[in-house]
Amino acid sequence: MINRCILQIALLLCFSTTALSMSYNSLQIQLWHGSLTCAKLLLQLNGTTEDCLNERINFKVPKEIKEPQQLQKEDTTLVIFEMLNNIFDIFRKNFSSTGWNETLVENLLGETHLQIHHLKSKINKKVTLESIRMNLRLKSYYWRIMDYLETKQYSNCAWKIVQLEIFRNFSFIIMLIDYL
């Protein structure tokens, strides 16, 4: 009787580990495809940056974005989630001065929102001091981007610089997804 219970528990653990692994694989595929779609949409937003290059600034990307090998899977999903949420918030701002196709921006917002939805169930609810610090560094980074847009009064050049920075974000997101 006890052996049967032990066998059932062992099988349950094996299946739950396999299911969790398959769940992360599925999430990885969904996020990877969505991030590539977002990056392509960003490239489709017209405009050149040659006349705006003198306005570029270093927004100081947090190390968590550039060095995913230091993160656990749960923390990686949190970083991606926070990045997508902030990107979504940025592109909901006043971009009327850009002349961008509103449908492309709406598609970008829709794809970003879909990725956020996929990540919600995978976010680690356990709050640690390190996850709080990481979240604060990410929020500070995106605050600098928003502050730049506001300081430049949402000018066409400011949006082009931010567009490049967000495109760079999606390359980091793809790197983080590969780490999953």
Side-chain angles (χ1 to χ4, degrees), residues 58-76:
N58 182 358
F59 293 108
K60 298 177 184 158
V61 176
K63 69 177 180 167
E64 291 83 6
I65 295 175
K66 295 191 281 188
E67 301 171 8
Q69 63 275 15
Q70 295 181 357
L71 298 172
Q72 295 180 358
K73 280 187 181 185
E74 296 81 13
D75 291 337
T76 304

Side-chain angles (χ1 to χ4, degrees), residues 7 25 29 62 68 85-86 92 98 114 120 123 151 157-158 163:
L7 177 63
N25 289 341
I29 291 167
N85 261 328
N86 283 286
R92 286 187 4 196
T98 62
L114 184 61
K120 276 187 181 175
I123 300 298
T151 301
C157 272
Q163 176 191 4

Side-chain angles (χ1 to χ4, degrees), residues 78-103:
L78 178 63
V79 168
I80 296 169
F81 179 80
E82 286 300 326
M83 290 176 73
L84 291 170
N85 261 328
N86 283 286
I87 290 169
F88 185 83
D89 289 343
I90 287 170
F91 277 92
R92 286 187 4 196
K93 298 294 181 190
N94 180 6
F95 61 88
S96 60
S97 66
T98 62
W100 289 341
N101 180 330
E102 286 187 35
T103 304

